Amino acid sequence: MENRTLIGGQWGDEGKGKVIDALGEGFDWVIRYQGGANAGHTIQIGASEHVVHLIPSGVFREGVRNYLGGGMVIDPWALRDEILELEATGHTVRDRLYISSTAALLMPYHKRFDELYEEQRKRRSIGTTGRGIGPAYQDKLRRTGLRVGDLALPLEKLERIAIEHILEANELLSSLFDAEPLPAKVLAEELVTLAQTLRPMIADGFTVLRGVREGTQSALFEGAQGTLLDIDHGTYPYVTSSNCTVGGALTGTGLPPRCLGDIVGVFKAYCTRVGNGPFPTELLAEEGEHLRELGGEYGATTGRPRRCGWFDLVAARYAVGINGLNGVVITKLDVLDTLPAIQVAEAYDLDGERLVDFPVRLDASQRARPVYKDLPGWEKPTGKARKLSDLPAGARKYLEYLERSLGVLIVGISVGKTRDQMILTPTGVTT
Ligand code: IMP
């Protein structure tokens, strides 16, 4: 079976959880490789909706092994809660969850710093999820952070090291922010208890992923967030702190490039963004609110209303190029069903100059104005379509236009929340 890497093509929230779940059947492994509990992957199975933040969406497929890669930042408190919640809804987790010993450990003080840095930035705040992601990666890069592998240390040593780290953080909380200290002993004891729960799942990636490396086991790589939130290639500084683009799958797992298989980008049929930062096709006021209501666009992790706007070909072509996408899945097509007219940005206007490449400089991406193409809506429901020919002609034309403009085959279309509301189009949508 050919491996696959699924990557968010926009600003996250493209519906990757649903696509990974729909395409996840038959893979030996589903692997996450970057980010942490800032992600919120929603999967609808029958009448029940599940959201996972750290655990790969493969957990909803029996028998699939799930791996948390070394490129991630793992909050052990959040991970324990997620395991318990999944078990409470009847899913087996522990015997098929593997956590890389090299992943960074996200501690309660990282969350506190996240909040305080955001407050300090005031109107230039990033609008983070508040899950401590930036500060945890900061400690990783400063080479001072704890790692998942430390949870396997003798418990007394772990407690001692944890107390040292929390006390150091307390000093910074006090000197930088005049903030209250965190209870070092209590948190260190909690961490010791968590370590005992998580230890059996800690794994050495080089060993457990041998089958993937040698090609005897198949893997689906589950990206979190999206291309434009990438720390290096996104709309910096309004980004997350990891590599959400394809390179993250390599550094975040230690697997070689040949293991990635097909690189598939997931795009919504329109655009959304949570948090602050450039969003050239954003619709403001009523138009934006209308799309938000139609799409139920509220953050899966924080519940925040998402900013909404039209599909942006300039940004999407950037994602195609940066990630080397060789397939695209379009999600939430059904959200556009009732609209009489649709717009798509084909280029930007920057101070009177026409741009076709996404401007990565912040000031340029903030000032760029979309140049739209107008397309008719189809004004018919698509939720029951299970093959391309079931779709209204207008919806097919929209997809053909996107496929042509992106220069990459659309290999799947999602027309609703449930697993079966998916049209697979391995040979594309242009007939
Ligand atoms: P952080 O990752 O919590 O530091 O947040 C940085 C930026 O990335 C903020 O704009 C967040 O809203 C955004 N972000 C982080 N995770 C996600 C996600 O899973 N979906 C969409 N946006 C995200």
Side-chain angles (χ1 to χ4, degrees), residues 11-13 16 37-41 114 126-135 224-226 229 237-241 273-276 301-302 304 306:
W11 282 276
D13 305 322
K16 294 181 291 295
N38 48 349
H41 292 170
D114 197 359
I126 295 167
T128 69
T129 59
R131 298 295 191 270
I133 305 298
Q225 291 85 43
L229 288 176
Y238 298 99
V239 291
T240 190
S241 298
R273 170 164 205 167
V274 252
N276 302 326
T301 298
T302 58
R304 289 181 292 176
R306 295 179 183 141

Side-chain angles (χ1 to χ4, degrees), residues 97-401:
L97 180 65
Y98 300 78
I99 315 164
S100 168
S101 58
T102 64
L105 212 53
L106 189 148
M107 296 287 287
Y109 48 81
H110 292 130
K111 290 205 232 173
R112 193 73 191 102
F113 281 118
D114 197 359
E115 285 163 27
L116 292 164
Y117 284 133
E118 282 286 88
E119 275 168 29
Q120 193 183 46
R121 289 185 199 110
K122 299 203 175 70
R123 67 180 178 80
R124 286 212 299 273
S125 73
I126 295 167
T128 69
T129 59
R131 298 295 191 270
I133 305 298
Y137 277 113
Q138 202 176 325
D139 273 356
K140 168 177 170 167
L141 295 190
R142 280 171 56 217
R143 297 159 288 177
T144 52
L146 292 163
R147 292 174 125 190
V148 166
D150 293 326
L151 298 178
L153 287 171
L155 296 177
E156 275 168 32
K157 187 167 182 194
L158 172 63
E159 184 172 335
R160 199 176 64 245
I161 293 179
I163 288 179
E164 277 168 25
H165 277 77
I166 301 165
L167 291 178
E168 267 171 37
N170 280 346
E171 270 176 40
L172 286 175
L173 284 171
S174 161
S175 62
L176 295 177
F177 298 102
D178 201 16
E180 290 290 308
L182 295 172
K185 178 88 177 141
V186 174
L187 292 175
E189 280 171 5
E190 282 181 25
L191 190 68
V192 164
T193 308
L194 288 165
Q196 287 162 284
T197 306
L198 298 176
R199 271 177 177 193
M201 292 167 256
I202 299 177
D204 183 342
F206 190 73
T207 305
V208 295
L209 297 180
R210 186 184 305 278
V212 179
R213 190 170 55 252
E214 294 179 354
T216 56
Q217 291 177 338
S218 59
L220 178 64
F221 295 82
E222 171 174 357
Q225 291 85 43
T227 298
L228 293 155
L229 288 176
D230 182 282
I231 181 76
D232 291 305
H233 306 292
T235 51
Y236 188 91
Y238 298 99
V239 291
T240 190
S241 298
S242 64
N243 283 114
C244 326
T245 52
V246 69
L250 301 174
T251 54
T253 58
L255 287 166
R258 68 178 137 74
C259 292
L260 299 187
D262 276 339
I263 318 288
V264 177
V266 183
F267 295 79
K268 251 179 218 172
Y270 49 99
C271 280
T272 64
R273 170 164 205 167
V274 252
N276 302 326
F279 182 0
T281 61
E282 181 171 16
L283 291 168
L284 300 170
E286 279 134 53
E287 276 188 304
E289 270 163 41
H290 186 50
L291 203 47
R292 181 177 314 128
E293 292 314 313
L294 287 174
E297 294 295 353
Y298 295 88
T301 298
T302 58
R304 289 181 292 176
R306 295 179 183 141
R307 299 156 66 193
C308 296
W310 295 121
F311 194 92
D312 184 340
L313 274 172
V314 184
R317 280 192 299 251
Y318 179 70
V320 168
I322 291 277
N323 296 300
L325 301 181
N326 39 31
V328 161
V329 174
I330 301 289
T331 62
K332 298 188 93 164
L333 183 72
D334 55 301
V335 171
L336 305 182
D337 284 353
T338 55
L339 299 180
I342 293 170
Q343 293 187 299
V344 174
E346 289 196 307
Y348 294 154
D349 178 291
L350 183 68
D351 308 328
E353 202 186 314
R354 195 179 162 94
L355 289 187
V356 287
D357 282 346
F358 190 81
V360 274
R361 270 187 25 229
L362 182 68
D363 65 316
S365 58
Q366 275 171 329
R367 277 184 298 118
R369 296 285 159 258
V371 179
Y372 283 121
K373 178 173 176 74
D374 295 312
L375 296 152
W378 43 94
E379 298 183 89
K380 290 197 183 77
T382 55
K384 292 206 170 76
R386 295 293 175 272
K387 50 186 192 309
L388 201 56
S389 55
D390 294 341
L391 287 174
R396 287 208 306 274
K397 284 216 170 77
Y398 182 58
L399 293 167
E400 281 172 20
Y401 166 72

